[in-house]
Amino acid sequence: MELNDANLQTLTEFLRKTLDPDPTVRRPAEKFLESVEGNQNYPLFLLTLLEKCQDNVIRVCAAVTFKNYIKRNWRIVEDEPNKVSDPDRTAIKANIINLMLSSPEQIQKQLSDAISIIGREDFPQKWPDLLTEMVTRFRSGDFHIINGVLRTAHSLFKRYRHEFKSNELWSEIKLVLDTFALPLTELFKATIELCQTHATDINALKVLFSSLTLISKLFYSLNFQDLPEFFEDNMETWMTNFHGLLTLDNKLLQTDDEEEAGLLELLKSQICDNAALYAQKYDEEFQPYLPRFVTAIWNLLVSTGQEVKYDLLVSNAIQFLASVCERPHYKHLFEDQNTLTSICEKVIVPNMEFRSADEEAFEDNSEEYIRRDLEGSDIDTRRRAACDLVRGLCKFFEGPVTAIFSGYVNSMLGEYAKNPGENWKHKDAAIYLVTSLASKAQTQKHGITQANELVNLNEFFVNHILSDLKSSNVNEFPVLKADAIKYVMIFRSQLPKEQLLQAVPLLISHLQAESTVEHTYAAHALERLFTMRGSSNTTLITPAEMAPFTEQLLNNLFKALALPGSAENEYIMKAIMRSFSLLQEAIVPYIPTLIGQLTHKLLLVSKNPSKPHFNHYLFESLCLSVRITCKANPTTVSSFEEALFPVFTEILQNDVQEFLPYVFQVMSLLLEIHSNSIPSSYMALFPHLLQPVLWERTGNIPPLVRLLQAYLQKGGASIAGSAADKIPGLLGVFQKLIASKANDHQGFYLLNSIIEDMPPESITQYRKQIFILLFQRLQSSKTTKFIKSFLVFINLYCVKYGAIALQEIFDSIQPKMFGMVLEKIIIPEVQKVSGPVEKKICAVGITKVLTECPAMMDTEYTKLWTPLLQALIGLFELPEDDSIPDDEHFIDIEDAPGYQTAFSQLAFAGKKEHDPIGDAVGNPKILLAQSLHKLSTACPGRVPSMLSTSLNAEALQFLQGYLQAATVQLV
Amino acid sequence: MFPYIFIGLSQAEKSTMPTKNVVEERISKFKNKGKDPAKLREKRISVCVELRKAHKDESFLKRRNITLSSLPDEEALDYISNDMVAVLPLDEIIKDVNSDCKESQTRGCQAARKLLSQERNPPMKEIIDAGLLSRFVSFLGMDDEPTLQFEAAWALTNIASGTTWHTQQVVEHGAVPAFIALLASPMLHISEQAVWALGNIAGDGAAYRDILIECNVIPALLARICPDTPVGYLRNLTWTLSNLCRNKNPFPPLSAVMQVLPSLIQLLHLGDKDILSDACWAISYLSDGDNDRIDVVVKTGIVSRLVELMSHEELSVMTPALRSIGNIVSGSDLQTQAAVDAGVLKVLPQLMRHSKASVQKEATWALSNIAAGPCRQIQQLITCGLLPPLVEQLRNGDFKTQREAVWAVTNFTSGGTVEQVVHLVQSGALEAIINLLQVKDTKVILVILDAINNIFMAAEKLGETEKLSLLVEELGGLDRIEMLQNHDNETVYQAARTLIEKYFSDDDVVGVKVDSTDDSFVFKTSDVQRTFEF
């Protein structure tokens, strides 16, 4: 494309069309531009337009298009063509700085971004004059230009803050320092002087303070990796000026805005970061300056207001103090009683106050409030920073700090007592203070696990918390109520049981509070209390102790779900689940009512599942209802089916994907309760369960396998009878699953059930194919997990169909196959089988091969007899071999058979451990002894001779132990 | 749950002295990998870019002669101290030096020497530009004019103490062979001046060092060591030897090292602190290399003496002794064992608690390298009580020391047995490294995440993963790791995310394709029947 007016005109038109709201105009224009962007001069057109076009809209559009073009095309990817011609690259680099600096702000920002993208690729090697060009502008005296340069420099250098040290990186930084550090320092000094000369000119000050903020940010980037020699030598200049700026106030720069941080705040905030960086990393060099900064920052904190716009500054400043006060050699800066008192009084207490912004969140944005207050996403808040400072100070001054705060707590509580209606926030702050002072370690599971021994938590509870909990009007002072509930919740491990028991009915009544935060906290607190462990692995609070409150608890929990804003409140639903689990049979009388409410809820949420946790606990609660009720009376299962199946059908038909795994699990649970046959309602569903589309979703696989297993267990015979045409489809699922390294164990679960529960004749025709598939997989991808499952399966097969059947089917596929599998797989790998049931299956199976398979005695397989016996004894006696070959680290491997914690796994739908051998074999070692005895009597002399020739001494000794225990002798 | 197998960065490097830089991004896999103890050790890499000021506590590269350390021999009575030398303007000096009159030459040399000895801004360039160097060098050969010889040597010594350019001028005017010849001067003070000048030239860098070695400077120097050599002379000589051992890229030739070592060992058994200091520095340079270089030092049997010197009351001796041992334990397991056998672990605790931060840092660096060894060395480290000072450093140390201490923890956790790792956690190391997750150093953060992952792997073996998850949460670690999921550095973000996914949450996996119709999968075996072979 030639750079001429006609082409410029065309391009302008197309650019204009890309802004058209009508997609039929816009899209083709965008397409066209993309199609020509590979042409030489294209970027130069854009630059020309953004510089010279009369129409400001087109100028901005050209700037944005240019930036995006650079973003897409500038990087040279190896083995791919260079997408920007070299002359264009050179021309862009030669002009862009000038253009950026002379453009109005909107365009400047785009070009500055483009420069940093180019810089990331080309700087410094391929853009050697960039720095000098930038530095030259420092002398222009025009701060609009200077700020443009500073902004660009910031976007080029900020990566120094997070990249790893490398020679390449450090060479670049060194180069930057060599050219940039001195001019930057000069500029810094000059800017500060100008601030003094222009102290009354608000417009000048604004520009100058933006420069200072940018300079401070650059300082941070350039000093991040290590302390550069230049900055060490010029520390006096920088730190003195930083210190000066921290203490500076200029009325003109104060803003009226309450939310948005002003220039002064941004600058001071960055200076706090810079000081924190030096204090942390360059302590030795920074030591002389540190005390001054501590004083300045603390004065800053004392004089800064409560407005939201100061939040970042205050939080950074407090974090600085928190990090310094923990260091032993700065202890002396804080240890004076007056200092401590003043930090506590003027820095910590004010920042713990409940502000109007908090109050708004409490009322109108309860979800966000709960997330911050309960789940700890309060990282950058003032309260959190103040808490961290309390903890930092407690490292050396726990006693004095506790004493000072006790005074404060008392006086704040006194204020509250004088006029609760007016002064309730004082009590809130007092509780917060006690909490932050007392908590030393905390987890979600147990609440506070370590507390400050100097704080009497129980006394505080009795004197100040209980009264709020007992208050007859649950809707009065909701913030204080929420504080009280939270107190019980987080200090639950510290409070004596009788206090907790006293709190339980009070918490139950708070479930009725109108405030979302309050009733949510009540539900959460109850849920946490119910999970506490007492002695001997029972719950701390027993169902008997709950008996007087059961009805009210259940009532209030379900009523709370009807409160505005809590229709899908996960804390309440979790509390319902936990209550069911705790109360067990005590809930049975209520179930008929409750199940209706739960299914109704399920129907509602299935229209649009949006709260995964809520839904999960809902299904858990359903499972608990089923289990607890049917445990007492299995025949009630049909009433659950009646209640649930209509909703389930709707979920299945509408393919509510999130819920399918849950539905399958609940159905498994229900089906497993049936005593023997499969109800027809289930049979109708069976063919649908084999649909590939269901199996393509990984979350469905474990619950579907389990459901199919339940079908087979309850109705293997009826499937073989009435649905024999579905058997290939069932085996197809097995084939699908064993093709995946991640799911092959699920395929084996299914296969094991088929072998165990289907009438043998119904699968006779498929057996050979099944084994061929397994061997093919073994050949192509032999992973440890697969081998473990494979071993369990063939031994189960042997137990079920006999050793001869196993040997014959192997050898029918390929001559000598049985020997190969014994030698290459069973003998060397059986040690890896894990799980007591799995090991037992293998032991019994191998015993059968050893003692009930003539081919083992009379053919060339005989040489494997002793090694196999030795492997079996090893399986009994040696520790499990858990080694995994090197190349398997990359596959997804399950730690143990049986699926555990996929998110949708319902804990209360849990499957009972199934032992296909069961009581038929009590002790497999005895079985081995008896079977060997039987074999030896059938062919006298042979067994002892095989043992004596090649069984190792240790194994022989173990074997003799088994024989003795079984009181048999080999002949 | 289907846990993702954790693949991440495991830089269990032999960490570097913070004064130097290392290029060491070794990617290896977690689980049972990356535990090859030989690979856990890495050394300082010689090519490095420095942002910091050059270090202050190391011995000087070059020294200018301002006043004589030892007075000239009795017979050199015509030595005139600086105070007595007349101050001459430069043009007169030039005239004098260029004259043919011995007396003028001597006077000019003396005046030049005085100018060059002044504390501030000695006019080196002016003297060089005046073309006086070739004159000075020619005076070096005048054995019958010892005073002139001496003054010229002194002037040249001071010029050689300047920048590389200054030294280059001296060398290019042929001073090297002249000075080496002068070593044999019967006049001790002249010989000493030559020692000094050669030390300055050697200190300039590897190139001149090797030129000196090629000119056989070493035998000439060693020939001057005998029982009655005065201490002052020996100090200078040891310093020059140390400069001949100094610098990498390339290292001094091995043959030269072998020549110097026996004498260095001899010097290391003397009592003078300056001699000991420079001899230790020499050993530290020689041991600052690959394992072959370390081997040469270890084989001399000097390790136990070095360990002894680590307790020397003089900082100037203890520092290079510690550095040498630090270098040696960055070597192979066997080399490290030599230092362990010599009792280094008994000395390190007191050095880790030394009042000087730089000593703490170097001692911790050494510890981190011992912790990279096999578990029996780790066991010795525990037995000798190194864990308490390590945890103290993690908690309260200077940042540079904390960084080394973090490396020690990561190395320890990747090579230690489960019991050893448990011991480490019980000593408070886990809490301390969690606190350090907020440091402003990306690499340190990554190394800590690595350590936490290692500790989890130990917990897995004990079946106590859940317990550890709770402990980490209790110590505030979960909050910090969650925050790191917002880190700008991709690798840190990944490592944090993987830890969270693996130990603090659950996740799913993806499957594979098999033939199917709408209703069901097709159960069939492939037509081509191959022979199975497992």
Side-chain angles (χ1 to χ4, degrees), chain A residues 322-457:
Chain A
S323 70
V324 173
C325 73
E326 290 187 330
R327 301 189 78 88
H329 51 280
Y330 293 127
K331 200 177 145 186
H332 65 276
L333 293 175
F334 297 88
E335 68 193 343
D336 178 68
Q337 183 70 24
N338 293 328
T339 310
L340 274 179
T341 310
S342 130
I343 292 180
C344 293
E345 178 181 344
K346 294 182 176 137
V347 177
I348 294 171
V349 173
N351 284 303
M352 286 198 172
E353 270 168 32
F354 198 75
R355 296 182 298 167
S356 49
D358 299 318
E359 205 173 345
E360 276 166 34
F362 185 91
E363 283 164 13
D364 305 329
N365 193 356
S366 48
E367 244 174 86
E368 170 68 16
Y369 183 90
I370 292 167
R371 212 162 52 80
R372 274 211 318 249
D373 188 45
L374 217 50
E375 296 167 14
S377 66
D378 56 349
I379 303 299
D380 288 328
T381 62
R382 291 182 178 217
R383 277 193 157 186
R384 172 66 173 254
C387 264
D388 288 349
L389 182 54
V390 171
R391 265 183 224 162
L393 287 172
C394 281
K395 189 168 166 189
F396 292 120
F397 314 110
E398 189 171 36
V401 167
T402 310
I404 294 167
F405 281 140
S406 303
Y408 267 94
V409 168
N410 286 332
S411 87
M412 286 190 285
L413 290 170
E415 288 296 305
Y416 165 75
K418 273 187 229 157
N419 186 351
E422 196 64 32
N423 295 337
W424 62 266
K425 286 185 187 173
H426 288 281
K427 183 165 183 182
D428 170 82
I431 297 174
Y432 201 84
L433 201 50
V434 169
T435 307
S436 63
L437 196 58
S439 31
K440 287 178 148 181
Q442 184 168 14
T443 68
Q444 286 291 327
K445 199 165 176 180
H446 302 294
I448 304 290
T449 52
Q450 259 187 66
N452 178 340
E453 286 165 9
L454 304 171
V455 181
N456 191 331
L457 290 167

Side-chain angles (χ1 to χ4, degrees), chain A residues 18 23 29 138 248 263 364 429 438 514 649 673-674 776 804 873:
Chain A
T18 64
F138 283 168
L248 175 124
L263 284 166
D364 305 329
E514 284 162 12
T649 310
I673 292 167
H674 283 271
Q776 281 170 344
I804 299 175
I873 295 169

